[in-house]
């Protein structure tokens, strides 16, 4: 055993320090296309205290470590880099406390999102964060990446659902901030530093989460619209009159056509429209909510905001309407190797962006397919483009898209994070003053640079200094 | 002119540097009871750039400065300390951009909250933050203190309404982070550091805020309940079935009695109840929302969650129902000199806390009045206790209350902040590990300690070290 192994076994016991090749392989990478790499060993602490003690050892020995949750990330942040050990939080999946009076739950970071959802729903509560990776992704990873998903227009992103947190810092210090109330103004809200910073400042070990009472009624509708502009007016009207609005998913016509073809789905309406929107409400009063939804949609039809509407008449019908949107998984695999984008754009810029990108991409890459869809209410646009035979083309597409995002005042990542795959483009969304402060914070909290190092911000100060000082959009 | 004055006049011009006694008096303190003190001069920069340049001068000369918004704070944070100059943001009140497609607005920090509300409502939009000081308080101060108010149960606190921000750091560096989208995961979300940290890390100069479509219908009801427990069940039912729920204000019977007496108001119900709740919904569909509210309240009556209910039949009737809650201002002045608390408590602890405190306070201070009310959905409890003839008694009450808050796992400030008046109690809500990190952040961002220094965290490291290392609640 090396000194490192011995020191770690002393702290965690030998069941939590593995060199088994099968285990190393299982921790060699996330869902991104970054190259897999075995970590030098895998740590699986069982308690927050063990996380802190392991970090103490790693800091003392200047040993770099990558923190791993459910490994469902798409930015390569959890893929080990050369010489790193991996720390998996999978064994830390306890539900510590479920307060059904206040509607809060205290969990360990390794709990899978779907397990949390199922657990609280069985008791009449609801954790509104939801995303495709729900079965594998962990709540700690959701916090570290500030996860989004389909219901953000109503319930917000992960940041909005976190009341309290415990973090182990790189040197083994534990910050316990297990607040349970919505309003707390007792100095700097330190937990915010760790939400969305992708594990570079500390390891999230426990969380206090805010729950909603479980909705018992969902209403779903598919709308056909004549323009993007009409969709923005529909959204405003729905937000005003329908506070139960939980999803507003926009699909351009070519996305819809591809979805129908690939999924073998019938055309929803007799004629084609430029834009489609999938609307969902979640609530508890069946009759009055359906009535409210129908009232708004009727108003939208009368005022020519919407051209046609289908309101789901049953759960099964609702599933059929969602099917168009949910062919995305299949589209993704058909277009491989693809460039898949997840960008944020001010709503007012989105239509112009899509038009400009369609034109630029189809003229430069006429053989490829380019599909647009998004969570309009959140300013979140997804673009699938592929297949690309060579990496140089892919890189050209990325450069084209991200530079246009910067011009439109948007951000290069809305949900997926920076990790390693978007590092070279970070300067298009964050100014050098911002990156400098990020680096100072990293140095303050992890002076030896052992924790998820070389993710998000470039590892080397001289590299950072060489980047063009691009001003942030304003 | 001193060197300082001359350097400042060079940067801002002499119209923005005042030594006028009337001006100095107008900037001598906030709404708290802390002792007023004239600043040595008052700076009134007209642009974010002037703020940055002024800070550059102050930093270079090691001149301490207190940043002032509307001076409506209740924690003494904006009251000048010995030797400080004041920087008022009142001249920076421009509305820079109003995006009515996306529903965002870009404003300068010195804009008064009410001006912002009025401006957007005239165009069919709504800024949901609302508090008593709306006419004077400034949006930058709302951000720096993470303001709350009456509608948090639906729309969240100020932090949840901020998309983008510009900050001038102590050394004059400008951080421009004018993001406009809900989902943005491009590295550490630096703006979060400045929200709620009461100006000790930087001066907020501009903000991008999220708007809601303007609600056109409000429904109001007053409910009488047999117990606190029933109120928590009512809240859950309302949250589940009524996403339009925007207020849920709890009043204990003795608060209600005092309100009736002082406001000359009639008893709302034939018999008295231990607890009353004022409910409000905001939306846009008159008929379906009233119907939904009545359905839930009927259900609550049938299931004996609620003993009696009044649903407002007109705007005027709604105002009558709100009148009980809104006597607070008058109660405050009648009980002077009073101790007024604004604490956060997990909902499950709130009833026990109120019972324990009532007993402790009436046994120790039988001559005084002790009244409880709160924003139940946010875990925010207010307590008025007074009048107290001497400061020692007042201090004893504070100690009694805050120590009980700590035992209940709550926080000593929900809305009003720490400033200077709650500094000595901060250790009851934040551990020494947290305070240490706050201090490190302060040193990182303001190494000369010129900015709102000696607020929130104790100014002296040795003092900090001497505090008992109280663990945070968990």
């Amino acid at each position: 055993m090396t000194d490192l192994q011995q020191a770690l076994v002393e702290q965690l016991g030998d069941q939590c320090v593995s060199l088994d090749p099968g285990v190393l392989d299982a921790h060699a990478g996330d869902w991104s296309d970054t190259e897999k790499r075995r970590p030098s060993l895998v740590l699986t602490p069982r308690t927050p205290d063990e996380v802190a003690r392991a970090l103490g050892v790693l800091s003392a020995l200047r040993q770099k470590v990558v923190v791993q949750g459910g490994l469902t990330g798409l930015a390569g942040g959890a893929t080990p880099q050369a010489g790193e050990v991996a720390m998996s939080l999978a064994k830390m999946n306890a539900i510590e406390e479920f307060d059904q009076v206040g509607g809060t739950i205290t969990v360990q970071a390794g709990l899978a999102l779907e397990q949390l959802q199922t657990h609280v729903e069985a008791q009449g509560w609801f954790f509104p964060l939801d995303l495709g990776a729900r079965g594998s992704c962990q709540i700690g990873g959701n916090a570290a990446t500030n996860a989004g998903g389909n219901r953000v227009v109503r319930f917000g992103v992960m940041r909005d659902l976190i009341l309290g947190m415990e973090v182990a810092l790189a040197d083994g210090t534990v910050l316990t901030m297990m607040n349970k109330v919505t309003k707390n103004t007792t100095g700097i809200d330190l937990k915010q530093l760790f939400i969305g910073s992708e594990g570079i400042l500390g390891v999230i070990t426990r969380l206090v989460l805010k729950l909603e009472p479980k909705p018992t009624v969902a209403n779903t509708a598919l709308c056909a619209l004549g323009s993007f502009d009409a969709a923005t007016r529909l959204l405003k009207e729905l937000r005003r009159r329908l506070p139960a609005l939980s999803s507003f998913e926009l699909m351009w016509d070519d996305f819809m056509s591809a979805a129908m073809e690939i999924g073998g789905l019938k055309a929803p309406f007799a004629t084609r429209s430029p834009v489609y929107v999938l609307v969902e409400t979640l609530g508890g009063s069946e009759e009055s909510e359906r009535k409210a939804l129908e009232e708004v949609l009727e108003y939208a039809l009368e005022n020519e905001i919407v051209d046609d509407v289908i309101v789901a008449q049953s759960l099964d019908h609702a599933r059929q309407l969602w099917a168009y949107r949910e062919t995305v998984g299949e589209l993704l695999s058909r277009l491989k190797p693809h460039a898949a984008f997840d960008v944020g754009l001010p709503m007012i810029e989105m239509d112009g962006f899509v038009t400009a990108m369609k034109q630029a991409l189809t003229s430069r890459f006429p053989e490829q397919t380019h599909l647009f869809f998004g969570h309009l209410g959140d300013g979140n646009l997804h673009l699938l483009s592929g297949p690309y035979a060579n990496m140089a083309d892919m890189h050209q597409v990325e450069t084209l898209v991200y530079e246009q995002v910067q011009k439109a005042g948007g951000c290069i990542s809305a949900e997926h994070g920076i990790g390693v795959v978007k590092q070279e483009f970070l300067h298009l969304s964050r100014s050098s003053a911002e990156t400098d402060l990020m680096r100072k914070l990293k140095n303050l909290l992890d002076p030896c640079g052992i924790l998820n190092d070389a993710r998000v911000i470039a590892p080397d100060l001289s590299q950072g200094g060489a980047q063009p000082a691009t001003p942030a959009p304003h």
Side-chain angles (χ1 to χ4, degrees), chain A:
Chain A
M1 277 211 286
T2 63
D3 286 356
L4 172 70
Q5 285 162 33
Q6 194 163 350
L8 289 168
V9 168
E10 265 168 37
Q11 291 300 327
L12 307 189
D14 52 15
Q15 292 192 319
C16 298
V17 183
S18 180
L19 292 161
D20 180 279
V23 173
L24 299 183
D25 280 344
H27 293 270
D30 62 16
W31 282 4
S32 71
D33 290 331
T34 46
E35 203 182 339
K36 303 286 171 277
R37 179 183 278 116
R38 279 185 175 181
S40 57
L41 57 82
V42 174
L43 297 170
T44 49
R46 292 157 298 194
T47 62
D49 180 56
E50 287 188 350
V51 172
R53 282 190 281 137
L55 289 173
V57 169
L58 297 169
S59 252
L61 298 175
R62 303 283 189 276
Q63 169 61 50
K64 289 184 194 285
V65 57
V66 59
V67 185
Q68 299 185 333
L71 290 171
T72 62
L74 296 170
T79 298
Q81 296 187 11
E84 286 183 341
V85 306
M87 179 188 283
S88 163
L89 301 186
K91 283 184 185 162
M92 276 170 44
N93 62 356
I95 293 173
E96 296 187 350
E97 191 189 304
F98 185 1
D99 171 1
Q100 297 209 39
V101 174
T104 65
I105 192 161
T106 305
V107 301
Q108 292 182 347
L111 184 67
L113 172 58
E114 193 170 40
Q115 271 184 283
L116 170 66
Q117 291 171 332
T118 311
H119 184 86
V120 300
E121 285 178 36
Q123 310 286 324
W125 290 92
F126 182 62
F127 185 65
L129 187 84
D130 194 39
L131 49 149
R134 69 183 71 78
S136 306
C137 69
Q138 296 172 7
I139 205 72
N142 296 149
T145 58
N146 194 20
N150 290 334
R151 296 182 190 135
V152 170
V153 69
R154 164 90 170 273
F155 299 105
V157 293
M158 184 65 180
R159 185 183 303 276
D160 302 307
L161 307 172
I162 298 174
L163 292 171
M165 186 186 282
E166 186 176 81
V167 179
L169 300 182
D171 66 358
T173 305
V174 176
L175 279 181
T176 302
M177 311 168 282
M178 301 299 270
N179 168 63
K180 286 182 181 169
V181 298
T182 304
K183 290 178 184 168
N184 182 336
T185 57
T186 52
I188 305 171
D189 191 356
L190 299 170
K191 68 174 178 291
Q192 305 293 345
L193 270 175
F194 304 95
I195 302 173
S197 55
E198 303 185 36
I200 66 172
L201 300 181
V203 181
I204 297 169
T205 53
R206 296 157 76 212
L207 290 155
V208 183
L209 304 168
K210 206 190 310 195
L211 303 175
E212 297 285 326
K214 184 184 168 188
T216 50
V217 181
N219 282 299
T220 309
L222 183 67
C223 307
L225 300 102
S227 67
F228 178 87
D229 176 59
T232 67
R233 283 183 289 137
L234 177 63
L235 177 61
K236 187 179 174 195
E237 207 53 35
L238 286 167
R239 285 177 65 200
R240 186 170 74 84
R241 293 169 61 168
L242 220 59
L245 181 72
S246 53
S247 296
F248 191 95
E249 299 292 305
L250 190 85
M251 298 170 282
W252 274 265
D253 180 49
D254 39 9
F255 176 90
M256 194 60 144
S257 302
M260 286 193 287
E261 192 201 314
I262 215 161
L265 305 170
K266 278 187 199 157
F269 301 100
T271 56
R272 285 171 64 169
S273 288
V275 170
Y276 299 87
V277 167
L278 199 61
V279 169
E280 191 169 82
T281 68
L282 286 175
S285 288
E286 180 134 26
E287 206 191 326
S288 55
E289 271 163 37
R290 168 176 294 258
K291 190 157 171 277
L293 174 63
E294 287 173 349
E295 270 173 24
V296 188
L297 294 177
E298 235 161 75
Y299 169 91
L301 277 166
E302 276 163 21
N303 288 273
E304 294 176 8
I305 298 172
V306 156
D307 296 337
D308 207 346
V309 161
I310 302 168
V311 179
Q313 300 301 319
S314 64
L315 266 182
D316 199 52
H317 195 188
R319 244 174 259 127
Q320 285 169 35
L321 297 182
W322 271 100
Y324 301 101
R325 173 66 174 78
E326 285 175 351
T327 54
V328 168
E330 215 166 322
L331 280 170
L332 272 167
S333 43
R334 286 269 189 109
L335 299 184
K336 271 197 169 178
H338 57 244
F341 297 92
D342 151 57
V343 302
L345 289 165
M347 210 182 298
I348 199 167
E349 300 288 347
M350 207 183 272
D351 200 32
F353 175 87
V354 170
T355 306
M357 286 318 307
K358 269 188 189 168
Q359 201 179 351
L361 290 172
T362 48
S363 87
R364 176 66 191 82
F365 298 101
E367 304 297 312
Q368 278 76 14
T369 305
H370 315 286
L371 301 174
F372 296 81
F373 59 102
H375 314 293
L376 181 61
D378 321 325
N380 185 186
L381 184 79
H382 292 295
L383 158 56
L384 289 185
S385 178
Y388 291 98
N390 70 67
M391 291 303 286
D393 283 353
M394 188 101 86
H395 192 262
Q396 204 187 338
V397 174
E398 288 178 345
T399 306
L400 211 63
V401 171
Y402 290 137
E403 284 178 359
Q404 190 69 28
V405 165
Q406 185 199 23
K407 280 183 202 144
C411 61
I412 62 162
S413 171
E415 303 189 308
H416 299 167
I418 301 300
V420 295
V421 305
K422 290 181 207 157
Q423 260 181 351
E424 70 165 293
F425 300 105
L426 184 62
H427 68 280
L428 296 172
S429 284
R430 307 295 296 264
S431 66
S432 55
E434 289 176 273
T435 320
D436 285 352
L437 181 51
M438 288 190 214
R439 211 168 264 124
K440 282 182 188 160
L441 289 167
K442 171 70 174 167
N443 290 339
L444 180 71
L445 285 159
D446 179 17
C448 310
I450 63 156
L451 205 54
N452 278 17
D453 202 41
R455 274 80 173 177
V456 186
I457 37 177
D460 185 355
L461 276 171
S462 61
Q463 254 185 284
Q467 282 181 356
T470 315
H474 54 88

